[in-house]
Amino acid sequence: MHTTSTIAFGVSLLASFAYPQEINKPALQPNLDYLKDGLQKNMPSIGHHFDQWSEDWMPKFCLEQSKSNDEGFNPADIKTYNIHYDDCETAWVVCVHKDSPMKIETLADLFGRVPAGSRSYIRHIISVPAKGGNAWNGGDNIRLNQIGADGLEVLLHETGHSLDAHAYDEPLSPSDNWKLKTSRDSAVPDNYAGSSPAEDVAQSTVIAAYNINVPGGFPGIEPRWVEVRNQYETVQTVQREQAPSILKPGGRCHKRLENSETVPVPTGKRLLRGRWAPWRRSQMPDISLAKGLEVIQALDFDSGKCGEDIESKAWGPARQHL
């Protein structure tokens, strides 16, 4: 998460590291808002279309999120969609609340700007009108709270947590490689990057995406770029060596996370004696992955496991909280 003038990303509570969470370095900028225009203009969306699920069904993740907000959401107000992108044989399943500032058209466009190699590490997205203007990534599922049309930076940041978690040979943020390389920098990219190595990696992923895709790169917009170069260049190097082209538009998806379980929407309209009346519901959507796609191993990002099993990659959580 990082705090901007308009958006507060959620705070990552990752597993314990061999070094302190907070990074004792000055911030280059208060936030990364100044990268938004360049990212939007130079990371085009892949061709796509979307279709809506029957209102009888939704992913279990989305149902759980309808209950997790303090105010609570009526699950019947959350619509589920398949977004079909031209660079992948399997659609992404996302959920959008009817009052969310980010409508399905915008979400489909913005998520299509995240390159297929990175997008593949996200399972679901839910967009809701919750208070705060923040986002988090839990178990490779992104929740957008009151995020609008300028949310590409948000999606790149939250996707960066999943890449950090398991796109590389080892989790990057707690690694000795990250600690060694970034110790050479005199600053962190922004205020939020200084809150933990995990958030530093996520913000450096945003900068790496800018540096790779925008003419002139990061030095073209940031005169003090040298003060943080090892952070975003380490992200780029690891990606180039272990996950080529993961931040560059083009290419296709070759692997995906399996979708969460499909569950009935508890509207109360089709319940009989407290149980779902199966003869009255529509056919359950097919959420299987296309043949030939490698299945990405799911990680349990559970806030209750903070500090456990970092070396075994059962690390967590990469979930962010306010």
Side-chain angles (χ1 to χ4, degrees):
M1 173 195 112
H2 93 124
T3 301
T4 72
S5 59
T6 57
I7 297 171
F9 294 83
V11 179
S12 262
L13 300 177
L14 293 175
S16 61
F17 305 108
Y19 48 100
Q21 286 276 332
E22 198 167 316
I23 302 172
N24 188 26
K25 292 181 181 180
L28 203 62
Q29 298 290 346
N31 54 64
L32 298 185
D33 280 6
Y34 66 124
L35 304 185
K36 289 181 178 179
D37 287 346
L39 290 168
Q40 190 84 8
K41 292 176 182 177
N42 293 279
M43 296 187 73
S45 187
I46 192 71
H48 60 270
H49 67 279
F50 56 84
D51 51 73
Q52 185 176 333
W53 281 24
S54 159
E55 296 184 357
D56 293 339
W57 305 96
M58 70 191 323
K60 184 178 181 180
F61 164 73
C62 295
L63 179 61
E64 291 171 343
Q65 291 307 304
S66 73
K67 302 174 181 178
S68 67
N69 192 56
D70 291 339
E71 298 90 354
F73 294 118
N74 182 349
D77 291 334
I78 298 174
K79 309 305 179 186
T80 303
Y81 300 88
N82 294 319
I83 306 179
H84 306 265
Y85 291 107
D86 292 350
D87 55 12
C88 196
E89 288 74 18
T90 295
W92 273 264
V93 181
V94 304
C95 302
V96 180
H97 190 279
K98 67 180 183 64
D99 296 326
S100 171
M102 185 180 290
K103 305 306 181 185
I104 181 59
E105 294 83 0
T106 302
L107 178 55
D109 174 80
L110 291 180
F111 196 40
R113 296 172 185 269
V114 178
S118 296
R119 197 186 327 127
S120 297
Y121 283 88
I122 300 301
R123 176 185 284 111
H124 299 302
I125 300 176
I126 186 170
S127 180
V128 295
K131 297 177 182 178
N134 57 78
W136 57 255
N137 177 337
D140 302 309
N141 301 300
I142 296 176
R143 172 164 166 158
L144 304 173
N145 295 324
Q146 202 65 25
I147 302 298
D150 62 348
L152 177 57
E153 178 198 1
V154 182
L155 289 173
L156 288 169
H157 172 101
E158 300 304 340
T159 301
H161 284 301
S162 288
L163 301 181
D164 181 15
H166 55 151
Y168 315 129
D169 292 349
E170 64 176 349
L172 181 58
S173 58
S175 69
D176 290 339
N177 179 42
W178 179 257
K179 182 169 63 171
L180 175 63
K181 297 290 180 58
T182 61
S183 66
R184 302 166 183 168
D185 286 341
S186 60
V188 291
D190 70 348
N191 289 333
Y192 195 72
S195 63
S196 75
E199 298 301 344
D200 192 16
V201 167
Q203 289 297 73
S204 296
T205 301
V206 176
I207 295 176
Y210 188 99
N211 194 56
I212 292 169
N213 293 289
V214 179
F218 188 58
I221 195 172
E222 177 50 70
R224 296 170 56 197
W225 63 274
V226 70
E227 297 179 43
V228 298
R229 68 178 299 177
N230 286 291
Q231 289 157 83
Y232 71 85
E233 287 187 353
T234 297
V235 171
Q236 288 183 219
T237 298
V238 170
Q239 291 183 348
R240 183 172 59 250
E241 294 176 350
Q242 301 175 19
S245 303
I246 205 167
L247 282 180
K248 186 74 175 175
R252 301 190 61 80
C253 73
H254 301 288
K255 56 180 73 175
R256 288 285 300 277
L257 289 149
E258 291 185 310
N259 290 301
S260 65
E261 178 186 357
T262 299
V263 296
V265 177
T267 62
K269 295 179 180 179
R270 296 181 175 84
L271 292 178
L272 181 64
R273 296 176 184 171
R275 301 183 66 183
W276 188 262
W279 59 87
R280 300 189 62 185
R281 66 188 177 196
S282 59
Q283 183 175 358
M284 183 184 294
D286 180 7
I287 60 170
S288 60
L289 300 183
K291 292 182 179 180
L293 285 177
E294 178 185 344
V295 177
I296 299 173
Q297 180 183 0
L299 297 181
D300 181 12
F301 294 176
D302 180 355
S303 57
K305 293 184 178 178
C306 188
E308 298 180 7
D309 299 328
I310 183 66
E311 294 301 328
S312 68
K313 286 193 178 182
W315 67 314
R319 176 173 178 170
Q320 296 86 13
H321 305 269
L322 285 176

